[in-house]
């Protein structure tokens, strides 16, 4: 009786391992699809004034692409951001980046502090993607 119980537990453990492997494989596949979609916007971001300064891939159970870009504030006026958003309504990736830049500028203006160069945009493309926007250089990166 104990042997049958033990066998049942072993079988259940094997099924769980197999299911976990399937989920992990699906997560990796979906993440790579998301990364491929985001890669399409980099030429547009560069054209808009964001220069890629670092680009890295992390391979793990959930892979991620980490990209850092620098720009100048003069290249990202409210009008230009609005135009880019209007021209890219169908691109979630571009909308995410431009909306994050726009929101950061709006909050920064409310803080009423002097503008610091550069504009720093950090992307961590994974599930879910992250967009970080900095005005000036964070001390941790110096």
């Amino acid at each position: 009786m104990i042997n049958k119980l033990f066998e049942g537990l072993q079988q259940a453990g094997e099924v769980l391992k197999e299911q976990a492997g399937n989920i992990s494989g699906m997560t990796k596949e979906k993440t790579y699809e998301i990364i491929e979609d985001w890669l399409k916007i980099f030429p547009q971001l560069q054209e808009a004034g964001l220069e890629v300064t670092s680009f890295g891939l992390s391979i793990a159970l959930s892979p991620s692409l980490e990209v850092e870009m620098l720009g100048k504030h003069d290249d990202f006026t409210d009008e230009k951001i609005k135009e880019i958003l209007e021209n890219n309504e169908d691109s979630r990736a571009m909308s995410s980046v431009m909306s994050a830049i726009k929101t950061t500028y709006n909050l920064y203006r409310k803080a009423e502090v002097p503008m610091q160069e550069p504009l720093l945009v950090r992307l961590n493309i994974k599930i879910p993607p992250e967009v970080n926007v900095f005005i000036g250089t964070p001390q941790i990166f110096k």
Side-chain angles (χ1 to χ4, degrees), residues 66-126:
E66 294 185 44
V67 181
E68 182 178 280
M69 297 172 286
L70 289 178
K72 296 178 184 172
H73 302 300
D74 292 343
D75 291 335
F76 292 91
T77 62
D78 289 339
E79 296 79 25
K80 185 172 178 181
I81 293 171
K82 182 180 177 185
E83 179 184 328
I84 293 169
L85 283 167
E86 287 172 356
N87 292 334
N88 292 281
E89 289 177 351
D90 57 333
S91 172
R92 276 188 164 171
M94 184 63 89
S95 294
S96 294
V97 173
M98 288 300 133
S99 294
I101 292 171
K102 178 182 175 181
T103 303
T104 302
Y105 278 139
N106 288 340
L107 292 171
Y108 198 81
R109 286 185 198 112
K110 285 182 181 180
E112 298 180 5
V113 293
M115 190 64 69
Q116 300 289 318
E117 289 290 347
L119 171 63
L120 172 65
V121 178
R122 295 189 73 216
L123 304 176
N124 191 356
I125 303 162
K126 59 182 182 173

Side-chain angles (χ1 to χ4, degrees), residues 1-137:
M1 183 67 147
I2 292 177
N3 285 343
K4 285 187 179 186
L5 181 61
F6 186 68
E7 272 181 39
L9 288 173
Q10 281 184 321
Q11 288 174 351
E14 291 300 318
V15 168
L16 287 174
K17 283 183 193 177
E18 186 178 321
Q19 297 262 338
N22 289 340
I23 291 170
S24 174
M26 291 185 314
T27 300
K28 282 182 184 179
E29 187 176 312
K30 182 64 178 168
T31 303
Y32 284 125
E33 286 176 23
I34 290 170
I35 289 171
E36 287 289 331
D37 286 343
W38 277 78
L39 289 174
K40 295 173 187 171
I41 71 165
F42 285 101
Q44 293 171 282
L45 291 172
Q46 197 153 5
E47 187 177 299
L50 288 173
E51 176 190 351
V52 174
T53 57
S54 70
F55 189 97
L57 178 67
S58 173
I59 301 196
L61 286 177
S62 181
S64 67
L65 179 67
E66 294 185 44
V67 181
E68 182 178 280
M69 297 172 286
L70 289 178
K72 296 178 184 172
H73 302 300
D74 292 343
D75 291 335
F76 292 91
T77 62
D78 289 339
E79 296 79 25
K80 185 172 178 181
I81 293 171
K82 182 180 177 185
E83 179 184 328
I84 293 169
L85 283 167
E86 287 172 356
N87 292 334
N88 292 281
E89 289 177 351
D90 57 333
S91 172
R92 276 188 164 171
M94 184 63 89
S95 294
S96 294
V97 173
M98 288 300 133
S99 294
I101 292 171
K102 178 182 175 181
T103 303
T104 302
Y105 278 139
N106 288 340
L107 292 171
Y108 198 81
R109 286 185 198 112
K110 285 182 181 180
E112 298 180 5
V113 293
M115 190 64 69
Q116 300 289 318
E117 289 290 347
L119 171 63
L120 172 65
V121 178
R122 295 189 73 216
L123 304 176
N124 191 356
I125 303 162
K126 59 182 182 173
I127 298 177
E130 289 180 30
V131 178
N132 297 296
V133 178
F134 299 92
I135 294 175
T137 304

